[in-house]
Amino acid sequence: MELPSIIRDLGESLIAPRQVIQILIAERRGLTFGFFIVLLCSILVGATATMVFISKLISFVPLGILSWIFGNVAILFGIASFVILSIGYWLIGGLIIHIFCRLLKGNGLFEHTLVAFSYLWLPSFLIGLIAPVLMFLDYLTSLGLFLLMLCISFIWGVILSVQALAEAHNFSVSKALLSMIAPILILIFIFATLFSLKIFVWW
Amino acid sequence: MSKSGKITLSDFLGVLVVLGIAIGILVPILASSIMRTYKQEALTDFDRLMQGIAHIPFMKITKKLVKEYTLNVNKEFHAVIEVTGGAIKITEGHGNIVKIRVYAYEGMPWFKGVDSERKYNVYYCERTNTLSINVNRYSVVIEIPSNYISSISLSISGGVAKIDTPLTNLKYLVVNVSGGAVDLKPASLGKVNVSISISITGGALDGNLEFSRYVGESDVKIDMSGGAIDLDIQLPSNVKVKVNGEFTSGIVSVKINGEHVGRSYIEDGYEQASSKIYISYDVHGGIIDVGIRK
């Protein structure tokens, strides 16, 4: 019995993202692949984060049926929020990254940038693997472990995305890294400006 | 799997990714069902709710012992207590020793309050045999020997006060409530004639005055212009009761053994009785429920 090619693609993306993105671009199925990665991983992170941050807190407060309602509403709300934010960030962040890639003489299409950027979400499967452990740990330990795994998966995701982006646009890894961190730098710049103009007051 | 049938690293990682995604989505949903089972033990019980809140990380409220006093007191001991915030509890002590423990709340700022506003003052005057305590945003526990205390004067404008001890030699109990809550549970009252005066303009008082057998006349006087009182008075069967009340507004309910009595009530044989109690009230607002049981 042979495993479906999608499973092999997922596995190979974690160790050889350059090869996989070439195949995905050539077979013109990269966008579907990227969309489902972002969708499923954002559901995963949303559900697990809600379990760790909200559901465990609610369980301390014995409100009976209200706890059940709050718990389930929180899970639904958490998943919906993460999906909307993730897909929004994937599209808008992808657009900004693509603009920077083009500015840095990249020759890939916007579609290719989105596929490469979706690799950022892929290592979050690690959080899914430890979800059963998080469920039984106490609040603070589960919170710490969740945040640690989130950091690890984010760093791993950035590494994969940068490599895929370099391959998709045919430029160096350093240019790909610069394009990747551009949206974050822009966000920091915007917020710093708003704070310095006292449009937001932090209290 | 490669064409040779061997499992490659890519296959293994691919399976891990799929498993991770599936577990990461399913487990939180299943976890919510398990937590639900745990939570169904209690509905909206306030005590359990507060206990639950106290266990929430970052909201945990603890008490830390700040100071402890041990005083040797004489008979006919007096206590003057003023509470403007925080809590005070009077419990049973032993011998002629009064023990006072002052605790500070540790927890979130909105619970423990501003440090500069927290204060307590404990002073014992040997000459008058009087203990004076002022409390604001501290928790004070006082152990008082039941046969030494002669009078208690309690003023509360905020926070909580609780008296939960036998007071066998108590002659005077004066309680002034303008805010906060008082839980009055003195037992073994009336070995000597006792005079209890309750004045309330706000807040709440929940009391259970338990009298033991005595000879003479005790009295309970209630002045009320706001707040709420729920007072139960337990009397020995031989004690005769007289009730006299005035009220201009508010809600008043006085019952003897479950039966309502009017503003004025004198039990047969009251004047000649060797053991009697006179209960008077003057209500100008608020809610009062007095239940007398023999």
Side-chain angles (χ1 to χ4, degrees):
Chain A
M1 193 187 79
E2 199 168 325
L3 288 171
S5 64
I6 183 74
I7 293 178
R8 199 179 311 123
D9 288 344
L10 285 170
E12 206 154 342
S13 296
L14 294 170
I15 46 175
R18 282 170 179 269
Q19 290 171 26
V20 179
I21 200 164
Q22 275 179 354
I23 296 165
L24 292 172
I25 290 169
E27 293 179 359
R28 298 188 64 80
R29 56 186 174 94
L31 206 55
T32 317
F33 179 87
F35 176 75
F36 277 103
I37 290 291
V38 175
L39 180 70
L40 292 173
C41 289
S42 57
I43 293 173
L44 179 167
V45 177
T48 314
T50 313
M51 178 184 79
V52 171
F53 282 91
I54 309 293
S55 302
K56 276 183 177 256
L57 276 184
I58 291 173
S59 72
F60 284 105
V61 187
L63 287 171
I65 193 73
L66 286 177
S67 294
W68 178 81
I69 294 167
F70 287 148
N72 286 288
V73 167
I75 288 271
L76 284 175
F77 187 76
I79 291 171
S81 308
F82 264 79
V83 168
I84 292 165
L85 286 172
S86 294
I87 290 178
Y89 183 62
W90 182 52
L91 294 173
I92 297 165
L95 182 65
I96 298 168
I97 290 169
H98 184 68
I99 291 167
F100 272 82
C101 287
R102 299 298 280 188
L103 288 172
L104 294 168
K105 311 286 184 199
N107 58 10
L109 300 174
F110 179 48
E111 182 187 327
H112 304 159
T113 308
L114 287 180
V115 179
F117 190 35
S118 69
Y119 279 41
L120 185 70
W121 279 261
L122 190 58
S124 56
F125 79 95
L126 289 173
I127 295 168
L129 287 176
I130 60 151
V133 182
L134 295 176
M135 190 175 83
F136 292 106
L137 285 175
D138 66 276
Y139 182 72
L140 283 180
T141 315
S142 64
L143 198 71
L145 190 58
F146 173 79
L147 292 173
L148 177 72
M149 294 313 284
L150 198 66
C151 284
I152 291 170
S153 68
F154 176 75
I155 292 165
W156 192 359
V158 168
I159 293 166
L160 295 178
S161 275
V162 165
Q163 288 191 42
L165 207 59
E167 186 64 33
H169 284 273
N170 280 319
F171 59 22
S172 65
V173 171
S174 56
K175 282 182 179 176
L177 182 65
L178 190 63
S179 307
M180 272 292 292
I181 60 171
I184 299 163
L185 292 176
I186 287 172
L187 277 176
I188 291 170
F189 177 75
I190 289 169
F191 276 103
T193 312
L194 290 175
F195 280 123
S196 65
L197 293 172
K198 295 191 176 175
I199 291 172
F200 290 156
V201 179
W202 190 265
W203 53 271
Chain B
M1 240 181 262
S2 68
K3 282 174 186 172
S4 61
K6 284 182 182 175
I7 296 172
T8 62
L9 181 61
S10 301
D11 293 333
F12 178 70
L13 287 173
V15 171
L16 273 187
V17 171
V18 173
L19 270 178
I21 291 171
I23 293 168
I25 293 170
L26 290 174
V27 164
I29 294 162
L30 290 172
S32 136
S33 318
I34 292 167
M35 285 173 186
R36 191 191 320 159
T37 316
Y38 158 68
K39 283 176 287 196
Q40 275 176 345
E41 288 170 9
L43 289 169
T44 51
D45 185 304
F46 185 72
D47 287 340
R48 288 185 65 95
L49 178 66
M50 292 308 289
Q51 283 167 14
I53 288 171
H55 285 92
I56 296 176
F58 312 120
M59 283 197 69
K60 201 166 182 177
I61 298 153
T62 54
K63 282 200 302 185
K64 190 178 79 177
L65 184 66
V66 176
K67 192 144 186 178
E68 190 169 2
Y69 300 85
T70 305
L71 308 169
N72 290 307
V73 297
N74 300 316
K75 290 260 182 187
E76 302 292 308
F77 168 70
H78 309 282
V80 179
I81 298 160
E82 188 186 356
V83 185
T84 50
I88 196 152
K89 185 179 180 184
I90 298 175
T91 60
E92 190 175 6
H94 304 285
N96 67 331
I97 293 168
V98 171
K99 277 190 178 174
I100 302 156
R101 288 191 295 275
V102 182
Y103 297 93
Y105 293 114
E106 297 293 325
M108 296 308 293
W110 60 76
F111 190 84
K112 73 171 187 177
V114 181
D115 283 343
S116 59
E117 289 178 0
R118 300 165 76 178
K119 64 174 184 183
Y120 70 90
N121 184 34
V122 177
Y123 173 70
Y124 174 62
C125 176
E126 275 187 63
R127 188 176 56 81
T128 57
N129 198 22
T130 303
L131 171 71
S132 302
I133 297 179
N134 297 307
V135 185
N136 187 20
R137 293 187 179 273
Y138 280 93
S139 175
V140 178
V141 178
I142 311 168
E143 287 179 15
I144 291 180
S146 61
N147 54 345
Y148 274 66
I149 186 84
S150 169
S151 76
I152 297 175
S153 172
L154 171 67
S155 296
I156 176 167
S157 56
V160 184
K162 183 172 186 176
I163 297 177
D164 188 9
T165 177
L167 297 170
T168 48
N169 277 324
L170 190 78
K171 289 176 184 165
Y172 300 101
L173 174 62
V174 179
V175 182
N176 291 302
V177 188
S178 57
V182 179
D183 188 4
L184 213 56
K185 299 273 188 303
S188 305
L189 287 165
K191 193 175 171 186
V192 294
N193 296 344
V194 60
S195 180
I196 297 171
S197 172
I198 297 168
S199 176
I200 178 166
T201 56
L205 184 143
D206 180 15
N208 186 4
L209 309 177
E210 190 188 320
F211 286 80
S212 54
R213 286 190 170 271
Y214 66 94
V215 175
E217 183 172 7
S218 292
D219 69 271
V220 177
K221 185 171 179 259
I222 300 165
D223 282 305
M224 189 176 193
S225 57
I229 294 178
D230 180 6
L231 191 65
D232 292 316
I233 301 171
Q234 307 261 355
L235 297 168
S237 56
N238 65 323
V239 176
K240 302 293 180 182
V241 181
K242 179 182 175 183
V243 178
N244 193 17
E246 290 289 330
F247 80 96
T248 53
S249 62
I251 300 168
V252 178
S253 167
V254 179
K255 285 185 263 186
I256 298 176
N257 290 332
E259 296 212 358
H260 281 282
V261 294
R263 291 187 192 186
S264 189
Y265 170 83
I266 301 178
E267 196 175 347
D268 290 342
Y270 175 82
E271 298 297 342
Q272 299 79 30
S274 57
S275 304
K276 49 191 171 182
I277 187 165
Y278 175 49
I279 297 164
S280 64
Y281 60 85
D282 192 0
V283 178
H284 302 288
I287 303 165
I288 177 167
D289 182 9
V290 179
I292 302 158
R293 291 210 164 265
K294 295 205 283 181

